[in-house]
Amino acid sequence: MRRFPDDLVRAQQQWSATYRQLAARPGRTELRRRLHRLSVQVFFHPYWQRQRPSPSAWWELRHLESPSTETRGRLTG
């Protein structure tokens, strides 16, 4: 069983927020750059070095509520 590190959860949440902003304001270079930087941060996070994520792991990461103490204990199968 795996736990998602807080920094990985935060990066994914920032990615989602940036993606929504870019959808609302397409063509914004600073948002595209931020989205790219966050994509690299999430995809190449050291957590994934043990094993590449399954589709269900990606889904759960994207749907976590917040990087609070509550999510630290969340496990994936």
Side-chain angles (χ1 to χ4, degrees), residues 13-75:
Q13 290 173 337
Q14 291 172 1
W15 185 96
S16 296
T18 303
Y19 187 86
R20 286 190 299 271
Q21 290 172 352
L22 187 58
R25 300 181 322 196
R28 303 295 297 238
T29 302
E30 69 276 5
L31 291 175
R32 288 195 323 264
R33 287 180 180 155
R34 179 173 170 74
L35 190 64
H36 182 264
R37 188 176 67 251
L38 289 166
S39 296
V40 169
Q41 192 176 354
V42 169
F43 190 78
F44 293 105
H45 191 278
Y47 175 77
W48 302 124
Q49 288 181 357
R50 287 181 260 153
Q51 178 179 354
R52 292 312 302 165
S54 66
S56 62
W58 280 119
W59 186 90
E60 184 168 346
L61 176 62
R62 287 191 173 152
H63 292 90
L64 289 176
E65 295 293 319
S66 67
S68 67
T69 309
E70 196 174 310
T71 59
R72 287 184 196 147
R74 287 209 180 167
L75 302 175

